[in-house]
Amino acid sequence: MQTTPALTRRLPDLTSLAFLVVAFLTGIAGALQTPTLSLFLSTEVNVRPTMIGLFFTGSAVIGILVSQYLARRSDQKGDRKSLIFLCCMLGALGCVLFAWNRNYYLLLLVGVVLSSFGSTANPQMFALAREHAERTGREAVMFSSILRTQVSLAWVVGPPVAFALALGFGFKFMYLAAAAAFIVCGALVWRLLPSMRKSAPTPGTVLEAPRQNRRDTLLLFIACTCMWTANGMYLINMPLYVVHELQLSEKLAGILMGTAAGLEIPIMLLAGMVAKRVGKRALMRAATIGGLLFYVALLFISGSWQLIALQLLNAVFIGVLAGIGMLYFQDLMPGQAGAATTLFTNTTRVGWIIAGSIAGSVAEIWNYHAVFYSAVAMVIGAALCLWKLKDA
């Protein structure tokens, strides 16, 4: 049976729409779990701040191991579609475990492994989308950018919904909702995403040392790691700080995260538009100034509306970092785009490892408010590195 030109044009549109929905659902699944995790561990599992920090550190380490294994395997053999489906199902199973189990060590050793598979569905989906765009002649960079906005939108909606579900219906219901998102996502992947047998691995996707600008690349790596560490400490600490020390509504934590994520979208787009004219170094420096003002203000401001208004500075800090940081690495490592991207991604992972250790220890020894002093120190460290960095 012959396929008409009109049908041929419609099929890629349906596939592209499926990619958008899958990107949003994988983002929602993560945005339902991460913002409330510290509050869940504190109130449901009843562990100390140090154990909460250890949980985030362990999660980051396990996440690195799982994602690296799956990334290497998916580049060598098999079909990404099947891998994404498997990750969605394991992610759903992890959510079910969190819904019904309250044993700290079982959650850390088993639940985190299952959750790590679930979180890997998102980057694998981006890889499949890139392959699909290249094979169908679409503009790959723009298609990936549109998919990233779906993840950002998920983080606008997800945190407020997560806190509303957890507080209104309980953490069990919230985790089951995240499991449902994974299951629906898996069904869409199985039914609508394209199946592509393994193509040859892209050169330069393995982590390798910079061939040039090594000093500046190292400075940028340290700066981005410090910035992600500050952000990680904030995400771990903020729900507990709002509830236990400020005695404000738990829902406020979700509103703060959603507001920041919503503001990050236009800031990321604006930073991309002016990057050539202003320069990436200037934008990154502006981000550290915004971050410094944000964390210093957190030391003195405790009102609900003031905290919400401060999210503009937080959005500048993270929006520029997320949108420009990877491009800066690529500029400093010409001809090594894959290695540069991996290096930037690793700054996020290392930042979470450090953040879990510091946030838990500082909160245990002093209080949740004291964690923001550590965040200020991290941003100052990032600023010092960026001021020694040359413009790419």
Side-chain angles (χ1 to χ4, degrees), residues 19-366:
F19 271 113
L20 293 175
V21 176
V22 168
F24 181 77
L25 287 176
T26 54
I28 280 289
L32 286 176
Q33 299 175 76
T34 304
T36 59
L37 181 56
S38 57
L39 194 61
F40 168 78
L41 294 171
S42 174
T43 59
E44 294 286 312
V45 187
N46 296 314
V47 294
R48 305 190 318 271
T50 301
M51 301 299 283
I52 295 174
L54 176 64
F55 195 95
F56 277 91
T57 298
S59 299
V61 173
I62 294 172
I64 290 174
L65 296 176
V66 170
S67 62
Q68 289 297 324
Y69 168 74
L70 292 180
R72 191 182 312 113
R73 182 178 178 82
S74 66
D75 283 339
Q76 292 173 351
K77 57 183 178 180
D79 182 6
R80 288 191 201 276
K81 173 180 174 177
S82 301
L83 179 59
I84 296 170
F85 175 78
L86 176 63
C87 287
C88 288
M89 295 301 101
L90 291 177
L93 187 60
C95 291
V96 171
L97 181 63
F98 273 84
W100 296 101
N101 182 72
R102 296 296 180 268
N103 183 283
Y104 176 86
Y105 295 101
L106 185 62
L107 290 175
L108 178 60
L109 298 176
V110 179
V112 167
V113 172
L114 294 173
S115 298
S116 297
F117 276 94
S119 64
T120 305
N122 191 268
Q124 287 296 321
M125 182 274 303
F126 274 98
L128 181 61
R130 179 63 179 259
E131 293 174 352
H132 168 71
E134 291 176 348
R135 290 195 184 185
T136 57
R138 292 178 177 271
E139 210 288 300
V141 175
M142 181 57 67
F143 189 44
S144 296
S145 298
I146 294 173
L147 290 178
R148 288 186 185 280
T149 63
Q150 298 303 303
V151 179
S152 297
L153 286 173
W155 273 84
V156 175
V157 177
V161 171
F163 280 94
L165 292 178
L167 299 174
F169 301 94
F171 280 98
K172 182 185 297 182
F173 187 89
M174 187 209 71
Y175 279 111
L176 291 178
F182 270 126
I183 291 172
V184 173
C185 185
L188 289 174
V189 169
W190 190 259
R191 295 282 298 175
L192 297 176
L193 291 195
S195 181
M196 296 183 182
R197 303 307 298 179
K198 191 47 52 221
S199 56
T202 303
T205 54
V206 296
L207 185 60
E208 54 182 291
R211 301 190 190 112
Q212 51 186 293
N213 302 318
R214 292 194 174 190
R215 171 186 172 276
D216 292 300
T217 303
L218 177 60
L219 287 172
L220 182 59
F221 183 89
I222 296 172
C224 290
T225 299
C226 288
M227 294 167 78
W228 285 123
T229 300
N231 182 63
M233 288 191 291
Y234 170 75
L235 292 177
I236 295 169
N237 182 68
M238 187 265 292
L240 301 174
Y241 172 66
V242 167
V243 174
H244 296 312
E245 292 192 16
L246 298 185
Q247 302 295 314
L248 298 174
S249 169
E250 295 94 333
K251 293 181 180 179
L252 177 63
I255 294 172
L256 294 177
M257 292 185 184
T259 301
L263 293 172
E264 284 170 18
I265 297 174
I267 289 172
M268 289 172 66
L269 296 174
L270 180 62
M273 291 171 59
V274 304
K276 285 187 177 180
R277 193 181 325 145
V278 177
K280 298 180 181 65
R281 182 180 62 175
L283 287 171
M284 291 290 287
R285 288 177 174 178
T288 58
I289 294 173
L292 185 60
L293 292 174
F294 173 67
Y295 289 112
V296 168
L298 285 177
L299 296 173
F300 303 100
I301 291 178
S302 58
S304 299
W305 288 107
Q306 295 95 321
L307 290 172
I308 293 173
L310 276 180
Q311 297 309 308
L312 178 59
L313 292 172
N314 190 24
V316 171
F317 179 57
I318 298 302
V320 174
L321 172 61
I324 300 299
M326 182 177 66
L327 300 176
Y328 206 159
F329 271 103
Q330 292 173 348
D331 285 351
L332 291 173
M333 299 171 63
Q336 297 178 274
T341 303
T342 303
L343 204 57
F344 174 72
T345 303
N346 284 343
T347 64
T348 309
R349 295 165 175 163
V350 175
W352 271 104
I353 293 173
I354 300 172
S357 303
I358 295 178
S361 300
V362 171
E364 177 99 4
I365 297 172
W366 291 287

